[in-house]
Amino acid sequence: MKPRLLAEGCATRLAGPLLFLKRTVDVGLNEAVEVKGADGRTRLGRVAAADEETLTIEVLENTAGLGLADVVVRFVGQPLEFALGPGILGRVFDGVGRVIDGGPPIPAREAYPIEGLPWNPVARGVPRDFIETGVSAIDLMNSLVRGQKLPIFSGGGLPHDRMAADIATNARLPRGAAGDFAIVFAGMGLPHDSAEFFRRRLEQGGALERTALFLNLAADSSTQRLLTPRYALTAAEYLAFVEGKHVLAILTDMTNYCEALREVSSSKGEIPSRKGFPGYLYSDLATLYERAGCVHGAKGTLTQLSILTMPSDDITHPIPDLTGYITEGQIVLSRDLDRRGVNPPVNVLPSLSRLMKDGTGERYTHRDHPALASQLYSAYARAVQTRVLAAVVGEDGLSEADRRYLAFGEGFERNLVHQAGARSFAESMEAGWRLLKGLPHAELTRLSDEQIARYLAKA
Amino acid sequence: MSMAAIRWISGPVLRATVRGPFFLRECVRVGPRHLLGEVVRIDGDEITVQVYEDTTGLRPGTLIEGEGNPLAIRVGPALLGNIYDGLLRPLTGIDARVTAGARPAPAARLAFRPSRKAGATVRGGESLGEVSLPGRRTLACLVPPDLEGELVAIQEAGEYDDTQPVASVRTADGREVGVAMSHAWPVRVPRPVARRLPTREPLVTGQRILDALFPVALGGKAAIPGGFGTGKTVLLEALAKGCAADVIVYLGCGERGNEMAGVLEELPQLVDPRTERKLMERTVIIANTSNMPVAAREASIYSAITVAEYFRDQGLHVALMADSTSRWAEALREVSGRFGELPGEGGYPAYLSSRLAEFYERAALVETLSGSRGSVTVMGAISPPSGDFSEPVTSHTKRYVRAFWALDVKRAQARFYPAVHPLQSYSEDAAEFAPWWSENGNTQWLELRRRFLTLLDEQSRLERMAKIIGKDALPARQQLTLACADLVNEAFLRQNAFAPKDRVAGPAKQAAMMRITGRFIELSTQAVAAGVAPDRITRLACLRPLARMGEEIGDGEMEKFDAVASALETEFHDLIPAPEARDEAAAAG
């Protein structure tokens, strides 16, 4: 059958984002449609279900203003696509990939389906090599690796926006050319002032010209919010695997995305699972997160740094919980550290980078980096434990060794996690060794004798 | 073959009007791309089909063809060393992107050498001859378990496609059936065995905390629940690399693509120390990553256990690692929701428990149909939402497994791996294995195990108390208990999966480390009884080499343990006897 079919005057029912049509044309599941109402606006949609008499169309934009009488539905004949070509860096798009910076349209070379197709695990390369973010708590303790997906778990009111903008500005490949690096920034459900903040910060930091910015504002429809990361990731995949760049995709805020998914799911009358989110939340998030990676034979890589705000700081909430099961680790921000003026307030204990071992060490960062990070972890964990003890028995009741750990914990937060500006990797390493000097050497079991002699011997 | 036409479709579920008979669980092909599906419900002239692939583009009117068989996979020697999707279709040699309509594995060319002669009576599970994989091990060409009769013809030695019959069997009802080196078997039906055997032997995993404290039986069942970031996957991968099984079936069910890429890159480089062969040669990987079609995730667990059973029937010991069974249960839930079934606990269908039982019950140590001994040991990871072990998948699994390896967030956050919680985990079979350990050089195994566990239990109680009154206020004996428990954790239980010497610990190394750790506890207890202050013991120089012996001493360097042990003896000897030291201690106390 021919694509680009029209259906007029056959709409029978409208319920939330769902539009029911009498089936007059032969179309397949998931194919894209354009719905035009009496108000003249064109809305994107897709075929959600079909039987012999009825077609169910899921309209992916606001359905307010749509009536049954004058609806014209155009069937595209294939799933939703995004036409891309060179020159998308430095540009600003809306949530469904339309240019909104007043510039000329993108010269489209090829159209890519926005859902993407799952990578064959055999075709994937193992993520290797390091991306320097300029944040010690990430670079030194939970390193970000090219092709990794590492989310930031934040909370309302914590400085994750600033952190994301800083990383977008400062991130670099220590072992690659500057022109190889690109950023795709997708804002989902952003308040207007946050969107402005990002645009301004990227412009001031000089990072806008290596960034493709996708903005879905809080006032935009929630069905459109579901498309924003898909358009952004399609662009990111294009940059990585067609143009051969190392792409860092920053998605914020995934919580808004999940809320939109819940809203749309409930309007479809689906059986809700935990906290009202649909049972397929895990599979749906996986279709986004799993688009990060490296591919054999491709020069570029796609790394994801998504940001989500944990509802009431609860890490067991379904959104952070399911995200943590898909992503390769997480960076957790802490309200307590933020209150004490530590910036960025990264709580390293619940943070984790699963791929760290593949992107650090002799070939990528420094030979002694893994041992140093492991020792800092173990010492900081003990310091935090000692802090609890000190709160009960008082500092005087502690042993000498415990008091040294207490001081170490304080120093770790003040001098390593906290930073005024971006820090190079070498500076982060140095700060780490300096802190360990204050601890009894015999207890540093994660370090070899040789490392102790080289870095910790008294000057 | 029966046909049907789609009447309604949404997501991976469709309803179709039949033109001919279908049966429940029949395998069907949907549409022009022959997508794989399974009949899950029959109602008059309408069938409901679960489709295992992306249904984009299907429409009412599309034709469906019944295969006349239940959903089956083809098992054979050529599976070893390869990677498949959840329905056992190869992932090698296809596109970089997974698209709908994948084909089953092409025939593999294998060398066959007959061991039976025409005229013989053969029964299911018996070997017709040897199959050798290129440059690899030799396996048997098995008669399918449900076939019995007279061997009327058998090919000479030579190379054949593994799907092409090499022998012909005439059954009692006069049919002639061709037997190839591989055969099809329905995934949801357990392969028959002669009988199940009781097990008195552990499967050595190479992980000290598991082998010493919570051993799993050969042919046993273990569950590994843990919240995210507790190291389930790292542990399962360590088990796949280090455990003493002949064949590993590694199922990545709804997990990360990058992890599968890591396994695929690493395994071909590693060598199995016991056989000197590449680890990949003993491994079958089944991968259905989280973004691949959800219905195939539901089937992948059955494909994996069927493959495991096939190698068991070859008289081999097989270990199946399933990562993770929660994703499988969620797929079950998602598909059940699409059928409109009534949800039970946690939204899961009411049959979750019986499905879990069906899966875990297929693990066993058995006498195969041909009389040899084989086993399937199942280790299933569980990803409980919010790390809460009271959720349905964990609590139902607990009823069917005998070893429970609970992973602990606190340990993982301190980067203490494997983060197995010593107090929440258990092994119901542990006492059975003492004789085995005695034969394998560790006569004190049961006693030391008990002592370590008691110490760890006391530690958790004392730490609570120390939080209130301060560590220094505890009596000397209790301070020592804390120090010894620390040592058990640091020196014995912690194991670095990325340190070349510590990755896998063989029984001999485990025995030596257990003995030395036990000896330290013994000597320090004597010292404290003789009046030595506990903080003098925690300052001993031998503690550091003790804490690092796992990483520094490899499996083949047993003599180095003697040096650690003798340093221990000397230092305690210097610590205890001198009367002035005792006075000093008394003065300090």
Side-chain angles (χ1 to χ4, degrees), chain B residues 501 549 551-562:
Chain B
K501 289 185 177 174
M549 65 185 167
E551 279 184 51
E552 308 258 334
I553 306 178
D555 261 330
E557 308 171 312
M558 287 307 138
E559 68 288 348
K560 288 193 183 169
F561 282 112
D562 297 340

Side-chain angles (χ1 to χ4, degrees), chain B residues 1 40 51 134 136 156 167 179 182 198 202 346 363 376 435 448 466 478 508 529 548:
Chain B
M1 246 168 258
V40 292
V51 185
R136 290 181 234 165
E156 286 169 16
V179 178
S182 67
V376 173
L448 285 170
Q478 299 190 338
R548 288 188 61 86

Side-chain angles (χ1 to χ4, degrees), chain A residues 90-109:
Chain A
R91 305 299 303 271
V92 185
F93 303 85
D94 74 353
V96 288
R98 295 179 288 225
V99 174
I100 52 166
D101 56 4
I106 298 298
R109 186 175 286 171

